[in-house]
Amino acid sequence: MEYVERTTSEVIALLPERFREDKKVCAYLERVWEYTKKAHAGQRRRSGAPHSEHLFCTAKILSKLGMGPITLSAALLHDTIEDTDTTEEELTRLFGEETTLLVLGVTKLKKKKNTLKENSFKTLQHLFSIAARDPRVLIIKLSDRLHNMRTLEYMPPTKRKRIAQETLRIYVPTADRLGINILKQELEDLAFQYAYPKEYAQTVSVFTKRLTQCSTNITNASQTLSDVLTKRYARTVHVQLRTKGLYSFYEKLERKHGDMDIINDIIVIQIIVATISDCYVALGYVHALWQPLPGKLRDYIAFPKPNGYKALRTTVYIKSSGVVEVQLFSEELYERSQSGYAFDFAHSIMPSMFLNKQSYKISSMIRNVLRKRFSRRRH
Ligand code: MN
C-alpha cells in the first residue's frame, strides 16, 4: 500500500471550528507539523506507513474529542523526544513550556540496565506524576494507545498479547475513570480480541445471536417512541439505539454467571433532548407509554457517577420486545457522556499563549488574586 503524507490543510482541519480562522493558532500548528514531519523523516511504522501517519491519527482521535491547539500540537510532537534527536530544551524554545510538558509526559523512560517491566513501571509513574500537573497528558496517552491498538495486527504475536493486557489493566480503567467513554469502549474491545482470543470469539457468536433476536422489535419500539415524542411533545428530540460493547457484555455475562436473560442492555434506547428539565418531561412520556420496572429508575443527574456521568435511566417492559433499558440525556449531557473529562477541556477558552498582551495581563491578574487567596487559606 502506498502512503501519502497528510497535507497541512488536513492538519488545520483537526482544530475546533472556533480556532480555524485564527492566524496565530494556525501558524503555530503548521510550524509544529512541519517540524515533526522533518524530525521523523524516513521513519516508518510496522504497517509501512510513515511515522507521521501515527502522529496525525493520534491527533485526529483528540480532535474528535474537541481538544484544542495545544493538545493537538503535543499529539503531533509526542514521539519527538523519544524517537528523534529533539531535546526538551529545543521543544521548549520552539513551541513553549505548555506543549513541551505534555510531550514529556507521554515520553517513554528507557534505561538499558532495567528490565522491560521496570522500565514500563517507571514510565507509568512518570506519566501519572505529570498528569497531576496537567491531566491532558492522559488524554493524549489514551489516544496514542488507541491508534497503536488499531494497528496492533502489525506487531509480532507475542508483543500483541502483552500490549493488549496492559491496555485492559491500565488504560481502560483510566479512560473509564475520566469518563471518556468513546476511547474506553474501543480500547477494551480491541484489547479483548488480542488478550483473550478464545473468549472473544465465543462472545461474538453469543452477542450476534442475541442481537438478531431483539433488534427488529426494539427498532419498531424506538420508532413508536420517537413518533409519540415528536407529535405530543413537539420539541427537539432525537431517539437512537446503542449497542453494548463486546467486552462489557462479556464482563457482565461473567458477573451474571452466564445467564443471558437478565442482561437487558444489549441494545438500549437513547433519547436526547434540549435541556435537563426536558429529560424529566420525556421520562414521563416513556413511563406513560410503557410500564416501568420497579426499582430500576436511576437519576444520575441528581446523583452523578464518580466519573461525572449524568443521565436518567429507566427500564421498561415493552410487549413486543420484552424488557428494555431507556437512557435520557440533554444534548450537553450526551456529549459529556461520550467524552467525559475531555469535554471540560474542549470547551475551555483560548490558551493563554495565543492571547494578546492585554487579555493576558487580566488573566494573570486573576491568577494572582487566586494565588493570594489560596495561600491565605493555607495559614
Ligand atoms: Mn506514539
Side-chain angles (χ1 to χ4, degrees):
M1 193 170 156
E2 268 297 309
Y3 285 97
V4 185
E5 282 207 327
R6 303 286 178 159
T7 62
T8 311
S9 53
E10 278 178 286
V11 175
I12 298 291
L14 298 178
L15 283 167
E17 223 179 313
R18 63 187 190 283
F19 290 113
R20 267 177 241 160
E21 298 297 309
D22 191 294
K23 281 196 188 110
K24 260 192 205 162
V25 173
C26 291
Y28 180 84
L29 197 64
E30 208 176 319
R31 219 154 44 78
V32 166
W33 179 236
E34 290 307 321
Y35 178 87
T36 200
K37 269 196 303 185
K38 214 186 238 169
H40 289 283
Q43 292 178 4
R44 298 211 163 247
R45 299 271 289 174
R46 282 171 200 262
S47 63
H51 193 81
S52 65
E53 180 65 11
H54 166 64
L55 307 171
F56 177 83
C57 291
T58 304
K60 195 171 175 190
I61 295 167
L62 289 159
S63 154
K64 288 249 160 68
L65 291 169
M67 300 304 283
I70 300 285
T71 316
L72 295 176
S73 301
L76 295 174
L77 294 166
H78 84 264
D79 281 329
T80 47
I81 295 185
E82 193 174 313
D83 296 334
T84 75
D85 297 333
T86 303
T87 60
E88 181 186 339
E89 291 70 33
E90 191 179 352
L91 271 196
T92 314
R93 184 169 50 80
L94 290 171
F95 304 113
E97 275 174 24
E98 203 177 338
T99 308
T100 307
L101 180 73
L102 293 173
V103 175
L104 279 176
V106 293
T107 300
K108 250 189 223 147
L109 299 181
K110 282 183 223 159
K111 274 211 187 96
K112 283 206 180 112
K113 266 196 274 164
N114 292 349
T115 62
L116 181 68
K117 221 174 175 180
E118 282 167 339
N119 270 338
S120 55
F121 177 72
K122 287 252 157 63
T123 298
L124 280 171
Q125 218 175 20
H126 166 77
L127 168 70
F128 282 97
S129 80
I130 291 198
R133 287 158 67 190
D134 193 334
R136 286 177 299 182
V137 76
L138 288 176
I139 308 172
I140 299 173
K141 187 70 204 181
L142 289 169
S143 305
D144 172 37
R145 178 53 66 111
L146 179 55
H147 185 250
N148 286 336
M149 291 302 299
R150 283 181 186 168
T151 51
L152 200 62
E153 56 177 307
Y154 300 107
M155 278 283 174
T158 44
K159 274 194 174 177
R160 277 184 218 161
K161 195 159 189 142
R162 184 183 59 76
I163 296 172
Q165 281 171 344
E166 188 190 51
T167 301
L168 283 178
R169 256 200 310 264
I170 293 156
Y171 296 102
V172 168
T174 305
D176 188 36
R177 189 61 188 83
L178 297 175
I180 314 178
N181 204 33
I182 322 180
L183 297 189
K184 183 205 163 219
Q185 189 171 331
E186 197 183 339
L187 275 174
E188 70 182 358
D189 283 356
L190 284 166
F192 184 26
Q193 182 181 347
Y194 292 105
Y196 307 106
K198 229 173 62 197
E199 290 81 351
Y200 179 79
Q202 280 166 357
T203 308
V204 169
S205 94
V206 175
F207 186 81
T208 347
K209 217 157 110 205
R210 183 68 200 253
L211 201 60
T212 30
Q213 270 170 14
C214 56
S215 65
T216 323
N217 284 339
I218 223 169
T219 310
N220 292 337
S222 80
Q223 190 55 53
T224 311
L225 178 67
S226 176
D227 292 345
V228 167
L229 285 174
T230 10
K231 214 182 285 161
R232 296 209 202 132
Y233 182 48
R235 293 185 68 173
T236 339
V237 53
H238 176 72
V239 179
Q240 65 183 30
L241 295 175
R242 198 220 62 184
T243 49
K244 200 174 181 61
L246 277 172
Y247 187 69
S248 79
F249 174 69
Y250 164 76
E251 270 190 318
K252 196 156 188 179
L253 207 54
E254 291 281 290
R255 275 206 306 277
K256 306 282 179 193
H257 309 289
D259 187 358
M260 234 184 2
D261 292 335
I262 42 180
I263 301 184
N264 305 318
D265 59 351
I266 289 196
I267 310 188
V268 303
I269 299 179
Q270 294 184 321
I271 303 174
I272 301 155
V273 288
T275 66
I276 286 181
S277 55
D278 288 344
C279 292
Y280 291 95
V281 178
L283 178 73
Y285 282 99
V286 174
H287 284 178
L289 189 62
W290 299 310
Q291 175 91 53
L293 263 59
K296 286 285 192 182
L297 178 63
R298 302 267 181 276
D299 188 344
Y300 291 119
I301 293 176
F303 305 100
K305 287 190 181 183
N307 64 10
Y309 175 93
K310 286 183 186 176
L312 294 179
R313 280 190 187 179
T314 184
T315 306
V316 294
Y317 179 75
I318 306 174
K319 252 192 194 147
S320 56
S321 13
V323 175
V324 176
E325 185 176 306
V326 181
Q327 305 175 345
L328 301 103
F329 307 85
S330 69
E331 275 157 21
E332 192 183 315
L333 292 190
Y334 182 72
E335 207 189 315
R336 206 182 184 298
S337 79
Q338 298 298 296
S339 50
Y341 198 51
F343 180 86
D344 302 329
F345 286 108
H347 293 265
S348 64
I349 46 156
M350 184 71 98
S352 54
M353 64 180 286
F354 297 118
L355 294 173
N356 56 39
K357 277 191 185 121
Q358 194 58 36
S359 43
Y360 186 72
K361 250 187 223 155
I362 295 171
S363 72
S364 67
M365 251 162 57
I366 299 173
R367 217 175 304 144
N368 283 337
V369 170
L370 286 174
R371 199 174 294 148
K372 263 184 214 151
R373 239 186 239 170
F374 203 61
S375 57
R376 211 179 297 148
R377 238 197 357 219
R378 240 185 289 170
H379 293 303

